[in-house]
């Protein structure tokens, strides 16, 4: 069972930039496109993307769409 509505994660695709920089660039592109909203946070192991699930109308399709968008952007930055 979920203990929190906050999820922190990283895109781990291959890139010529550091993982921290990659997360920040992915977030910036997501925000520029305007279809999703993500924040980033610094944890002991680096910069992570973070989403907070609050809207009761959020669907599995919404979350899959977000992950697909992150993967598309991240792979394009390789």
């Amino acid at each position: 069972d979920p203990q929190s509505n906050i999820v922190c994660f990283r895109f781990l695709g291959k890139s010529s930039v550091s993982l921290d920089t990659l997360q920040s660039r992915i977030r910036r592109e997501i925000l520029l496109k305007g279809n999703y909203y993500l924040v980033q946070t610094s944890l002991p192991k680096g910069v992570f993307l973070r989403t907070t699930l609050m809207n009761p109308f959020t669907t599995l399709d919404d979350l899959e769409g977000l992950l697909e968008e992150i993967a598309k952007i991240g792979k394009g930055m390789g």
Side-chain angles (χ1 to χ4, degrees), residues 10-42:
R10 296 180 97 177
F11 177 79
L12 299 177
K14 295 180 182 180
S15 176
S16 60
V17 299
S18 74
L19 277 177
D20 290 348
T21 299
L22 181 60
Q23 307 317 302
S24 295
R25 289 183 180 176
I26 290 171
R27 178 180 179 265
R28 184 176 340 117
E29 288 297 316
I30 291 284
L31 294 179
L32 286 173
K33 290 185 176 204
N35 296 324
Y36 300 97
Y37 184 79
L38 284 176
V39 296
Q40 67 183 36
T41 189
S42 293

Side-chain angles (χ1 to χ4, degrees), residues 35-71:
N35 296 324
Y36 300 97
Y37 184 79
L38 284 176
V39 296
Q40 67 183 36
T41 189
S42 293
L43 298 173
K45 293 189 178 184
V47 174
F48 283 70
L49 299 172
R50 186 178 81 182
T51 188
T52 304
L53 304 173
M54 296 175 57
N55 186 334
F57 297 108
T58 299
T59 66
L60 186 56
D61 287 341
D62 295 326
L63 298 176
E64 288 174 350
L66 172 60
L67 293 177
E68 288 171 8
E69 190 70 21
I70 289 169

